[in-house]
Amino acid sequence: MSGRPAGDQGSAILRVMTPADLPVVHRLEELVYPEDAWSEEMFRGELADQPRTRHYVVATEPTGEIVGYAGLAAAGGQGDVQTISVRPDRQSRGIGAALLTALLDEAGRRDCEMVFLEVRADNPRARGLYERFGFAQVSVRKRYYQPSGMDAIVMCRHTSPGGPDA
């Protein structure tokens, strides 16, 4: 993506996340996940491994305002969606789908044969998005999200190395 717009969904433009984005990303994280938000330091640690094993993107409005973000970990033929988040007042506009598409495209470039993710059991909207993209439930991680104790649904999507789904 090299910092250039990588895609446009509605009015959102995707670009690679940089350390300068972290204060805004962290505020958005706390808004969307008040009980179990990642710290800014956790995001900084993820970006420290970009582009080697990580790929993080932000969705911005034409004004440059960040309205969503997503991240992928990829190594050894496997990808893991680390996070996807869209500001509540911008949800249901295709931004989450655009972010997920960017991560799956990157997983393909990195020859990932499978992509995994965890989704909160109480988030049917996100789960529906993942199912539309070909993810299927493979297990449940009891009390995964802390401190809430909410279960995580583990989902997986099989892909062809270097390209679209088989």
Side-chain angles (χ1 to χ4, degrees), residues 5-155:
D8 186 328
Q9 186 65 31
S11 63
I13 299 165
L14 304 187
R15 65 170 173 78
V16 172
M17 185 187 293
T18 70
D21 297 322
L22 293 181
V24 173
V25 167
H26 184 248
R27 283 194 299 276
L28 182 53
E29 173 83 359
E30 289 182 320
L31 174 68
V32 176
Y33 308 110
E35 291 184 345
D36 45 20
W38 286 13
S39 68
E40 191 171 327
E41 292 75 29
M42 290 171 75
F43 279 106
R44 195 169 304 285
E46 290 290 297
L47 290 187
D49 231 5
Q50 182 168 266
R52 191 173 68 79
T53 64
R54 300 295 190 270
H55 181 72
Y56 277 75
V57 294
V58 293
T60 68
E61 304 231 311
T63 62
E65 181 181 10
I66 295 172
V67 295
Y69 57 88
L72 175 77
Q78 179 178 311
D80 291 281
V81 173
Q82 302 292 84
T83 187
I84 293 183
S85 187
V86 176
R87 203 168 77 192
D89 66 335
R90 297 300 192 273
Q91 292 177 359
S92 299
R93 297 181 185 191
I95 297 169
L99 288 164
L100 182 55
T101 297
L103 297 186
L104 294 174
D105 288 349
E106 185 66 21
R109 283 189 288 276
R110 293 176 184 236
D111 295 328
C112 294
E113 295 179 26
M114 296 183 296
V115 178
F116 289 88
L117 58 81
E118 292 93 16
V119 61
R120 287 178 64 102
D122 64 350
N123 191 344
R125 175 186 275 176
R127 191 170 174 184
L129 171 68
Y130 301 139
E131 288 170 349
R132 285 193 307 276
F133 275 78
F135 284 87
Q137 180 175 333
V138 294
S139 67
V140 175
R141 290 189 176 151
K142 294 290 187 188
R143 303 187 53 78
Y144 179 79
Y145 293 99
Q146 295 299 321
S148 69
M150 180 56 58
D151 293 347
I153 306 298
V154 180
M155 302 182 83

